[in-house]
Amino acid sequence: MLTHTQDLGYRAAQYAITPLSKKERDNTLAALKHHYGSTAQSAFIPKNNEEAIRIDLAQAAPSLKRLGEDLREKLDRDHSLIMLSRTWIDNLDTDQRAALLFSLALQMGSPTPTDQVDKKVVWDIRALGDKMKSGHVPTFSEHADEACLHTDTQYYPAPERFMLLYYNHPAACGGGLSYCRDISCIKDEMAKTADGRWALNILETTDLPFRIPTTFTSDKAQDTCEVTFAPILSQTPHVRYRKDTLERGFALHPEYKTADVEKALSLFTQELNRADKNVSAFVQRDQLLAINNHECLHGRSEFKDIQRHAFRIRIQDRQNLT
């Protein structure tokens, strides 16, 4: 079902797919309504009978099952980022798009709730603007500023393996340019110097504090300060990083910000900020990014159009869940 169209850069590629048939689309929506009582975006929360739901959805839409398996296989083996040039669902309403993307995510693994309170799986990426509460510690999905290269849920003990980003409405202002960088590319460059190799060792062996954004804490309270301690580089995930959650973690635990850590982070961010090594693209309406969140850092430029809207679904490996 996946047809390679072009390489975008280091371990990043663009693929084309054929449209899902009306029969498989309707069967998928009917199966989802049977299990969740609705096909509204808000209906999709984790259920205990996930495997039975996955089997029913695979029978309803075998081609969607193959697409999910193919994406997972290629993200495991060949690429850390895949762009689908078109998904062919932009003629549907937003709830139906969310439903089909959720079904695709189930064929890749176990979609996880974005926050710990509402348990939403299909998350809206749109700027809160004036709706942001005072004292709220925002995540990148809630503001229109630049989102520097990062991995998702680096502030949780076990970040999700995969992530889908679907674009309903790109920024009309031309902002919101997406870019990414594979961690093996960064490590290869840093390993060329003695200082780089020293920094890699520090980042592999030193736990650092990542503060959990307010939206994703256990109670969403403004004064809740939850922190995860973990190294930036490890076997699983290969990388976890986000500058602002790390800086907020250091503010709570300054004892972790040693001279060696500061130097290692400086060398890491120096390499991370090499724009000539980034893979970048203005993602259009109805395009989809599939990302290996354990290997690929992603980001975006700032934007002014507050109508910019994307869906995000995070996906954990089924075999890694307990």
Side-chain angles (χ1 to χ4, degrees):
M1 192 172 183
L2 284 172
T3 302
H4 180 270
T5 56
Q6 64 174 319
D7 288 324
L8 300 175
Y10 191 92
R11 299 195 71 225
Q14 180 173 302
Y15 284 80
I17 62 171
T18 55
L20 189 68
S21 71
K22 183 180 185 301
K23 178 181 178 180
E24 290 198 4
R25 182 195 72 195
D26 292 346
N27 287 346
T28 297
L29 295 175
L32 288 171
K33 187 173 183 179
H34 170 73
H35 285 287
Y36 293 90
S38 169
T39 54
Q41 177 186 344
S42 59
F44 305 123
I45 61 175
K47 285 184 172 287
N48 293 330
N49 62 333
E50 181 182 275
E51 186 58 30
I53 297 172
R54 184 179 294 109
I55 291 171
D56 282 355
L57 289 171
Q59 293 173 344
S63 60
L64 199 61
K65 174 180 183 289
R66 288 195 301 273
L67 175 59
E69 292 173 343
D70 288 348
L71 284 172
R72 185 181 65 223
E73 180 182 353
K74 289 187 180 299
L75 289 172
D76 270 334
R77 184 187 63 199
D78 302 321
H79 310 296
S80 57
L81 178 139
I82 291 172
M83 176 191 286
L84 297 187
S85 54
R86 187 174 179 186
T87 61
W88 307 94
I89 61 174
D90 54 324
N91 61 316
L92 307 176
D93 64 43
T94 53
D95 278 339
Q96 290 176 324
R97 292 178 218 166
L100 293 176
L101 291 166
F102 174 69
S103 182
L104 173 62
L106 270 169
Q107 301 305 333
M108 294 178 66
S110 292
T112 60
T114 290
D115 64 83
Q116 299 183 57
V117 177
D118 297 330
K119 304 298 183 183
K120 291 189 297 184
V121 169
V122 185
W123 183 262
D124 290 295
I125 307 296
R126 52 163 48 113
L128 292 178
D130 295 339
K131 297 179 181 179
M132 193 177 298
K133 298 178 182 178
S134 176
H136 182 81
V137 179
T139 186
F140 289 140
S141 61
E142 298 173 325
H143 64 67
D145 299 332
E146 179 182 17
C148 298
L149 284 170
H150 66 286
T151 59
D152 266 31
T153 55
Q154 74 297 133
Y155 41 77
Y156 285 159
E160 290 88 349
R161 179 76 182 280
F162 305 117
M163 181 175 63
L164 298 179
L165 282 171
Y166 174 82
Y167 288 76
N168 290 295
H169 184 90
C173 63
L177 179 75
S178 296
Y179 48 90
C180 72
R181 185 91 185 271
D182 188 279
I183 187 58
S184 57
C185 178
I186 295 171
K187 292 172 70 174
D188 287 348
E189 292 297 317
M190 291 182 68
K192 292 178 180 178
T193 68
D195 278 350
R197 292 190 293 274
W198 171 86
L200 289 174
N201 181 64
I202 293 293
L203 300 177
E204 290 169 353
T205 58
T206 308
D207 283 349
L208 299 177
F210 294 88
R211 180 175 175 178
I212 302 175
T214 304
T215 296
F216 306 138
T217 56
S218 56
D219 58 10
K220 292 190 179 182
Q222 304 299 323
D223 57 353
T224 297
C225 297
E226 296 180 8
V227 174
T228 291
F229 297 91
I232 288 177
L233 304 175
S234 64
Q235 284 298 111
T236 305
H238 292 330
V239 60
R240 71 168 76 222
Y241 180 75
R242 181 173 147 176
K243 182 180 178 182
D244 62 338
T245 58
L246 186 56
E247 288 179 343
R248 292 186 179 107
F250 283 140
L252 295 172
H253 299 277
E255 68 275 13
Y256 282 81
K257 197 174 185 180
T258 66
D260 280 353
V261 165
E262 284 194 276
K263 180 180 177 181
L265 282 172
S266 176
L267 291 167
F268 180 75
T269 55
Q270 180 179 324
E271 180 58 38
L272 193 65
N273 292 334
R274 289 183 59 183
D276 62 308
K277 294 287 186 178
N278 287 346
V279 175
S280 60
F282 184 77
V283 187
Q284 304 287 343
R285 175 179 167 87
D286 196 44
Q287 291 187 328
L288 178 80
L289 295 180
I291 299 172
N292 184 329
N293 188 52
H294 285 190
E295 299 178 11
C296 182
L297 298 102
H298 65 283
R300 62 141 203 275
S301 65
E302 67 176 341
F303 59 93
K304 303 298 182 184
D305 179 13
I306 61 171
Q307 299 303 314
R308 181 182 187 270
H309 180 217
F311 286 143
R312 180 191 65 213
I313 304 178
R314 295 167 175 155
I315 308 162
Q316 194 64 275
D317 276 343
R318 295 198 296 273
Q319 61 267 32
N320 292 340
L321 297 177
T322 57

